[in-house]
Amino acid sequence: MSFGCQENSPGQLKGAGMESNELLRVQHEVTSERDPEMRRAAIDQAYVEVLRFLDSEADVIGRQAFSDRLQQILDGAPPDFVIEEDGPAYVGPDTAAQPWRFGPPGNPVIRGMDVLTLREGMVSVVRGLVAS
């Protein structure tokens, strides 16, 4: 974790907070975590309080609403389903994106991408896109 970063090199945000690649790593951990207390602790460290999360079935505001939506997704999937990275990360000055796949390890049932809007080293918006 790198706080107080002043560079604007690839993978880093200008200003205080985490690097964009670190925020993508946290996003992966958060979306993979089935324990709501552990997930919420990570959310509190890397996401703004008024976080907005959008996917094909929901548009919610707030850290707890985000955690609840993730819990709903994970509870609706078989216990052996995992989220795996599915290609390189993409980073810009205020945006980061990571393709993913979801299903049994190595055998995805669904593919998509998380697109993060970044503000002062934290995630302010998460858009969960699903491949069509």
Side-chain angles (χ1 to χ4, degrees):
M1 198 176 312
S2 175
F3 292 96
C5 194
Q6 294 299 318
E7 297 178 26
N8 198 18
S9 60
Q12 293 185 329
L13 297 171
K14 187 176 181 183
M18 293 184 193
E19 295 181 1
S20 51
N21 285 321
E22 178 73 2
L23 289 168
L24 285 170
R25 184 195 60 74
V26 171
Q27 173 70 10
H28 178 79
E29 289 178 6
V30 163
T31 58
S32 299
E33 182 56 62
R34 291 182 182 262
D35 180 287
E37 290 179 20
M38 291 182 67
R39 180 177 51 248
R40 182 56 200 258
I43 289 171
D44 288 347
Q45 292 180 14
Y47 298 78
V48 299
E49 281 189 48
V50 291
L51 168 71
R52 183 175 182 197
F53 173 76
L54 303 92
D55 69 9
S56 61
E57 298 178 16
D59 184 348
V60 300
I61 303 290
R63 292 173 176 165
Q64 189 60 51
F66 175 51
S67 184
D68 292 346
R69 176 66 184 132
L70 293 175
Q71 192 68 48
Q72 182 183 33
I73 292 167
L74 293 168
D75 286 349
D80 66 330
F81 274 35
V82 296
I83 296 172
E84 300 173 307
E85 292 180 358
D86 196 26
Y90 300 88
V91 296
D94 64 356
T95 307
Q98 178 66 61
W100 50 261
R101 57 185 179 247
F102 187 53
N107 190 21
V109 172
I110 189 170
R111 284 187 151 88
M113 178 179 289
D114 285 339
V115 181
L116 312 180
T117 300
L118 311 174
R119 186 175 73 220
E120 297 177 5
M122 296 185 82
V123 179
S124 62
V125 179
V126 177
R127 288 177 179 84
L129 307 176
V130 177
S132 59

